[in-house]
Structures are given as C-alpha cells and as structure tokens.
Amino acid sequence: MFHNFTLIHDDIMDNADLRRGQPTVHKKWDLNTGILSGDALMILAYQFFEPYEGEVFKGIISLFNETAIKVCEGQQMDMDFEKRTDVTIPEYIKMIDLKTGVLVASALKMGAIIAHAAPRQAQLIYNYGLNLGIAFQLQDDYLDTFGDDSFGKRIGGDILEGKKTFLVLKTMELASREDLTELKEILSSREKSTEEDRIRRARKIFMHYGVHKLIGEEIKRYIDLSFDCVNKTDLPEAKKNQFLAFGNYLMGRNT
C-alpha cells in the first residue's frame, strides 16, 4: 500500500502517462483524485500495523516511519538532480538507495522483526534488500531506455524528462566534448515533435561509450552484494535458497 502511494505521487510529480502499462491515476481521473488516492493508501498502510503489539509493534512502526522519511528525501534528491549539472554517480546511488532500496530492505526487515530474529540477522536481511533494491532500480533505468513495450512504461521517459540516471552520468564521465554537448541538448529539450529522435540519439551515444554494458556490470555487483548478505545469515540452506530465489525472481533472472 505504501509503495503504491509513492508511485501515484511520483507519477504526479513526473507528469507520467503510464504505469505498469495502464494510464496513471491522475491521467485516468484527475490531479486531485491522484493526490487523495495516494493519501488514502498511506493511511491504509498504517492500518496493517494494528494487529501487532508491544516490542514488535514498536519495532516495525519505527522502521516504517524512518523508511517513509527516507523515501521522501530520495524523491527530493531526484527532483533536485533535474536542475543540477554536477550530479555524481555516488550521489545517484544514494538517491536510489533512499527511493527504492530502503523500501525493499524495510519490508524484509519487518518480517525479521515479527519473527523475533536477532538484531544482526535482521540487519543482514535488511542489507540484502537494500542492495537488491539498488540493483532493481538500476535495471529499471536500463529498461527505461533499452526495454520494449512489455516494460509497462513509455520507453525513453527518463531521457525526455532529463533525468540524471546512471546511463547519463557514466556517459558524462566518458564522453567527448562534442558528444557531451549533444547529450545535454537532448536532455534539456522539451520539444514534443522531436521526442523519438531525442531518444534515438541518446541511445546511440550511450551505446557508443558502452554504458549499456557498464550498467549491467553494476547491476551484477549489487546482486552479488545482496546475495552475500543472505549467505552470511544463520538461516538453513533451504531458507537461504528461498531468499536467493526471490532475488532472482525480482530481477527477472532464471538463475
């Protein structure tokens, strides 16, 4: 419920037309309906904590509130990046850590708290989710530019919105002055009539510098970090395998 609240409001801020292949809430109805729908989902999320008591309730509600603040901070960073010209890759990773990583991490740690796991074990599960969430968002960035219609969102949306994704930031590190000037022009343009051409040109620049492959290496690095956290837990092998299988499922991998 909380995750969908963030998506509805995120779509409003991005003025996005599609989410999961369907019209976004504010596009299907109107802006006010989108805002109220998101607010209602946030309240519904809190209602799910009502059955818990004592230390378990205290632990999960504290974690939830901390996570909600971090997601808001991440969203503000994302919006700030659109106006900045000096964003670094570490800053970008921190932003997706806050916007996406903590959501996955906190959901998993809540389960550990409810199961009365030892603090170290709960933290390892949190770190597993954190790294998996970063890998997932990096893959989302890749698919936004190089995916197909099954992605569920308009391909090239990040380019048209001028977002400073890993693809953009890594290209800025590697590009010649001429290509850097062209990429900045592509990202800053708001001409509707040239949208498809801008997407095509940006893809060409990304591929010229091999950043579509470099992001794949970065995704694998975070998946490996995530799975290493699982292997460090005291869980039986069968339980570890369930977490690893979930990670592969989330990333759309067969192995």
Side-chain angles (χ1 to χ4, degrees):
M1 292 296 177
F2 176 77
H3 180 51
N4 281 309
F5 145 68
T6 67
L7 296 182
I8 290 174
H9 282 199
D10 189 51
D11 287 339
I12 291 170
M13 294 178 202
D14 289 343
N15 196 29
D17 295 327
L18 291 175
R19 171 70 67 176
R20 298 169 183 160
Q22 301 293 324
T24 50
V25 175
H26 70 284
K27 290 291 184 180
K28 185 171 182 177
W29 284 281
D30 54 49
L31 184 62
N32 289 339
T33 300
I35 293 170
L36 284 170
S37 297
D39 292 346
L41 286 172
M42 177 64 153
I43 297 164
L44 285 169
Y46 273 106
Q47 288 185 322
F48 283 98
F49 297 122
E50 291 174 0
Y52 299 99
E53 299 176 348
E55 289 302 310
V56 169
F57 175 80
K58 183 179 177 181
I60 58 177
I61 200 71
S62 176
L63 178 59
F64 180 82
N65 288 333
E66 179 185 324
T67 301
I69 292 294
K70 286 181 176 179
V71 171
C72 291
E73 290 173 351
Q75 177 65 5
Q76 184 63 58
M77 286 180 72
D78 194 15
M79 293 187 296
D80 290 345
F81 287 176
E82 294 179 25
K83 304 181 187 73
R84 286 178 51 192
T85 58
D86 59 346
V87 179
T88 65
I89 288 178
E91 283 181 305
Y92 177 71
I93 295 298
K94 178 63 177 177
M95 184 272 289
I96 62 175
D97 175 318
L98 292 171
K99 271 194 70 173
T100 305
V102 297
L103 275 174
V104 183
S106 298
L108 288 159
K109 189 176 180 180
M110 283 180 192
I113 292 170
I114 292 165
H116 302 285
R120 180 177 180 275
Q121 301 300 307
Q123 189 61 43
L124 283 168
I125 292 300
Y126 182 90
N127 292 341
Y128 155 72
L130 195 67
N131 287 297
L132 190 61
I134 293 171
F136 179 84
Q137 187 58 53
L138 286 169
Q139 181 167 274
D140 191 80
D141 292 348
Y142 170 84
L143 292 173
D144 187 276
T145 298
F146 293 102
D148 53 35
D149 291 340
S150 64
F151 182 47
K153 294 191 284 185
R154 179 179 180 180
I155 301 303
D158 286 347
I159 295 167
L160 300 179
E161 292 164 23
K163 286 188 175 291
K164 308 294 194 307
T165 64
F166 180 93
L167 293 169
V168 168
L169 297 173
K170 196 64 182 177
T171 301
M172 287 180 169
E173 287 184 0
L174 302 171
S176 66
R177 183 175 298 179
E178 182 181 352
D179 288 337
L180 187 57
T181 299
E182 182 180 0
L183 182 59
K184 288 179 178 178
E185 184 274 323
I186 291 168
L187 296 174
S188 62
S189 175
R190 292 295 178 265
E191 285 292 328
K192 290 284 185 182
S193 60
T194 63
E195 286 184 348
E196 293 306 320
D197 181 61
R198 285 162 53 204
I199 294 168
R200 180 191 60 77
R201 287 162 58 204
R203 275 196 198 124
K204 184 178 178 181
I205 295 172
F206 293 154
M207 294 179 72
H208 176 73
Y209 290 98
V211 294
H212 61 305
K213 295 179 181 178
L214 294 176
I215 196 173
E217 295 172 6
E218 197 74 355
I219 290 166
K220 183 180 184 303
R221 187 169 76 86
Y222 279 101
I223 292 172
D224 289 345
L225 286 170
S226 173
F227 287 3
D228 185 56
C229 291
V230 173
N231 290 323
K232 286 179 179 176
T233 67
D234 295 336
L235 290 166
E237 285 302 312
K239 299 295 185 184
K240 288 180 181 180
N241 288 337
Q242 287 183 333
F243 279 104
L244 300 180
F246 171 73
N248 284 321
Y249 164 77
L250 190 67
M251 299 302 299
R253 304 194 323 168
N254 294 322
T255 57

